[in-house]
Structure formats: C-alpha cells, structure tokens
Amino acid sequence: MSDTVSETVTSERTATGSAAAGPATGRSRSLLKPLLLAVGFVILLLVPIYVEEFWLRTGFAVFGAAIGAIGLNLLVGTTGQLSLAHAFFLAVGAVTYTYVSGEPGGVATEVGGLSLPPLLGMIAGVLLAGLAGLLFSPVAARLRGIYLGVASLGLVFIGIHLINTWGTVTGGFNGRIAPDFSLFGFEFSNNASYLAIAGVPFREAERLWYLGLFLAIGAYWFAHNLLRSRPGRALQTLRDSEVAASVMGVNVQGYKARVFLVSSMYAGLSGVLLALSIGSIAPESFGLLVSIQYLAMVVLGGLGSVGGAALGALFVSALPLVFQRYADIIPLVSASRSDPGIAPGEAARFLYGLAIILIILYEPGGLAGLARRFRRPGRPGGGRTARPSSAATSSSTSTVPSDPPAQGSTT
C-alpha cells in the first residue's frame, strides 16, 4: 500500500514539474525565433561589406527568383492550380519596366520609351503583370490540373512571339538594354556618386543587394500573413477540395481569380529584378525552361511553404552561377565548349533534377519539411512521444470510470 502511495506521489510531482517546465520552454522558444531572425537580418545587412561582387550579384538574382517562387507557390502550392505561364508574367513585368523607364533610340532596332522614373516603371510592371493574370483568371477558374497547365503554357509561346515581333517595345530578337534603377534620386548603378561605408565603396552590386533584400523580405512578409488570414485559409480549402470549399461558402471562382492576380504581380516584380540583374531583356530569358525552373523551386522547397519556396529559389537560381564560377575545379564540368565535360548550366539542371526525384521519393515536404524535422525538440524514442507506463495506464483505467457509450453505439 505504501509503495502504491509513493508511486502516486512521485508521478504527481513529475507531472507538476513537467507542467511548470512546459510554459518556460515555450517562452524560451518564442523568444529564440525573433532573436535568430534579428541576427540573420543583421548578417544580411553586413554581407556587402565583406563579400565580393560575384556573390552580391548572385544574391540579387536569388532575391528576384525568390519573389517569383513565392508568388508561384501561392498559386501551385497553396491553391493547387498548376500553372506553366510564370515566364510570361515575368516577361510582362520586365518589358513594361524597360519600356516605361527606358529611353527611345536603339542601334540595330529602333525602340521607344517613356523615360519615366524607374520606380514608376517598376510599379507599372507589377500592375500590368497582375492585370494580365486577372484577364487569364476566367480561364483558370474553369480549368484545373493538367488542363490548366496546358492552357497556361500557351501564354509562354504568345509571350515569346510578342517579344520577337514587337521590336519597338522589346527590341525584337536582339532585345534591349534595361535602364538602371533609381529611387528618389538615389541611383543603383556604377554611374552614381561615390559612396563608401566602413571604407568599402558601394557601387551597383552593393546597392542592388539591399534593393533585392528589402523587396524579398516584403514579399515574404505579405505572403506569410496572407496564408495566416481568412483568405489564406480559403485558398488552402480550395486546394483540398473545391466542392467542400463551395459548400463552406467559399467563392471558388473569385478566389481563383484573386490568387492568379497576386501570383502574377509577384512574377511581374520578379521580372523587373531579372531585367536589372541581367541588364537587358531578350526572348531566351522568358522561355518554357524558365517556367519549369520556377516549378522546380516550388517542388524542391515544399508545396505550400513560403520559406521553402525561397530556399528552392536559392538552390535552383544560384547553382548554375556557382558552377559557372568554379567550373575549372568542379569534376566533369567545363566552362568551354572545346573542353570535354558538361556545361555548367546543364550540370546544374542535372543536379536539381536529381534533387527533385529524391525529394519526391523521400521527403515530399521538400526543404521546408527537412527544416521542420531539425526544428523539432528532442524527444525520447527518436522524436516520438513517450508512452505512459503500463502501471500508470492500469492505475488510471482502474480509478477513472469510463464515459457511458454514446447513443446508438455498439460498444
């Protein structure tokens, strides 16, 4: 009898201690996340002071790709609408920015331009890309799955045809130079006035790094809050079942149109940053391969995860540039066509193609799913919840009466 009483007292003390430790552990975790985010943000702010130009330009390209991937993830990962038209909306944003803010002229092809401030050109590119997505949304509202993918694929070929033939706006087959960006007189180019911070000259690469960083953070923040809001939950319901969403009062066609609008605007902003990163626009920059690469970013990062889309963009967009930079020391990769080996771009596609296969087979949650695994606190039994002992189970079952069965139950 005394042994039973002592075991009961010990179990009560253990339960009380674990209950007291629970809130403390939760508070420490809630404080740890903002602290890590603040440290990461400070590190990103200090990167241009310590990193060479190649990595800054690579980072700017990653920021632009991350914005486009987050937008496509809202459409494909959250809502479940397959779209291959992302390259088209990128082209709309890039061409609009180049025409609105560009100067008329040209050498091989006469081009026009409105010579408006680059900020207005960026806003016009985002809005016009959103308008293009809104015009396509009635088609998207009536199709789903592979049928929507094939229908959206037609926009890519239409876009390439327009870029090749509309020479006065796009520059035709040869493309045209993208104007440098400036914000209220502050120029993001090498022709700007001299600026140095901590003895480091801040030229075009350093300034574009900060532009891409703040735009990417803003895009991430908006998408993250959108998914946690009531419209975000409605979009997730659409992905699971359109019939169930309709029964629950969700306007299916209305939400499909809105998410296409938002995703297209993200793509338009990504297209503007792509034009600034390359320095020009050309038809080959907006082909079908670009749409496939963005789908790869979303799948690798994890469908439905905003942070995962950014991680997928980092992997897919930075890998070819890194291979190009270090082609001389990477086995089986050659930067010259005369030398035996695989071109850096092809090697990168092989690698992230293999990564997609491995992700689908072993971690459908993508890179975000892997991150969630590492974030889980250590638990006994390899992360599984510890089961109560048999003695405790028998004690609880013997002392606590079970509820009566529900009416109509057979047990």
Side-chain angles (χ1 to χ4, degrees):
M1 180 69 180
S2 61
D3 295 340
T4 305
V5 173
S6 63
E7 289 179 0
T8 305
V9 172
T10 303
S11 62
E12 290 179 352
R13 289 178 178 176
T14 304
T16 305
S18 61
T25 306
R27 285 194 298 268
S28 62
R29 290 176 190 163
S30 63
L31 294 176
L32 181 61
K33 184 176 180 180
L35 180 61
L36 292 177
L37 290 176
V39 171
F41 179 68
V42 172
I43 292 175
L44 290 174
L45 290 178
L46 297 177
V47 163
I49 300 177
Y50 300 100
V51 174
E52 61 182 358
E53 182 179 353
F54 168 77
W55 295 108
L56 295 178
R57 292 194 176 276
T58 301
F60 181 69
V62 170
F63 290 142
I67 293 174
I70 290 173
L72 184 61
N73 186 65
L74 292 175
L75 185 64
V76 177
T78 303
T79 316
Q81 293 183 275
L82 177 62
S83 173
L84 294 174
H86 219 55
F88 171 78
F89 300 116
L90 263 75
V92 173
V95 170
T96 303
Y97 168 77
T98 305
Y99 180 77
V100 171
S101 300
E103 300 284 345
V107 179
T109 304
E110 188 72 20
V111 295
L114 302 180
S115 303
L116 295 177
L119 179 60
L120 294 181
M122 175 181 286
I123 295 174
V126 173
L127 294 179
L128 199 59
L131 178 61
L134 191 62
L135 293 176
F136 184 74
S137 61
V139 178
R142 289 167 173 78
L143 298 175
R144 60 181 304 177
I146 189 64
Y147 301 102
L148 176 58
V150 173
S152 62
L153 181 61
L155 291 178
V156 178
F157 298 114
I158 293 174
I160 294 176
H161 175 73
L162 290 176
I163 294 176
N164 280 318
T165 57
W166 204 2
T168 57
V169 174
T170 64
F173 179 80
N174 296 319
R176 64 180 294 179
I177 302 297
D180 296 326
F181 188 78
S182 64
L183 184 62
F184 304 116
F186 183 81
E187 298 182 2
F188 294 77
S189 66
N190 290 325
N191 299 325
S193 57
Y194 180 79
L195 174 65
I197 298 178
V200 178
F202 268 51
R203 295 183 291 268
E204 181 181 28
E206 289 80 6
R207 301 181 185 200
L208 287 178
W209 167 273
Y210 288 115
L211 176 66
L213 173 63
F214 285 103
L215 289 177
I217 291 176
Y220 176 90
W221 175 81
F222 179 84
H224 180 71
N225 288 330
L226 175 64
L227 294 183
R228 299 177 64 181
S229 65
R230 182 177 179 181
R233 293 190 291 270
L235 294 177
Q236 295 172 15
T237 308
L238 282 178
R239 176 192 59 194
D240 298 334
S241 173
E242 292 186 8
V243 176
S246 179
V247 171
M248 295 172 64
V250 176
N251 185 354
V252 175
Q253 294 189 358
Y255 273 101
K256 279 187 174 184
R258 293 166 194 165
V259 73
F260 233 102
L261 168 67
V262 174
S263 177
S264 303
M265 293 177 71
Y266 268 82
L269 180 57
S270 179
V272 174
L273 297 189
L274 177 63
L276 292 174
S277 176
I278 300 175
S280 62
I281 58 172
E284 60 267 17
S285 301
F286 308 103
L288 176 60
L289 180 60
V290 177
S291 293
I292 296 176
Q293 287 177 340
Y294 274 93
L295 278 177
M297 296 176 193
V298 174
V299 173
L300 280 174
L303 293 173
S305 171
V306 179
L311 291 176
L314 170 64
F315 184 81
V316 174
S317 60
L319 201 61
L321 300 176
V322 174
F323 276 15
Q324 183 72 36
R325 174 68 178 263
Y326 298 103
D328 296 335
I329 61 176
I330 298 178
L332 303 178
V333 178
S334 174
S336 176
R337 294 184 178 181
S338 59
D339 298 333
I342 306 174
E346 294 180 358
R349 287 192 286 271
F350 284 138
L351 187 56
Y352 67 69
L354 176 62
I356 289 175
I357 296 175
L358 295 177
I359 286 291
I360 292 176
L361 290 178
Y362 300 106
E363 185 50 76
L367 298 176
L370 291 176
R372 283 192 293 268
R373 285 190 178 186
F374 286 108
R375 278 206 311 267
R376 291 174 182 171
R379 294 176 180 174
R384 296 180 181 177
T385 305
R387 296 180 178 178
S389 62
S390 59
T393 305
S394 61
S395 175
S396 62
T397 54
S398 61
T399 58
V400 181
S402 60
D403 294 332
Q407 186 176 1
S409 173
T410 58
T411 58

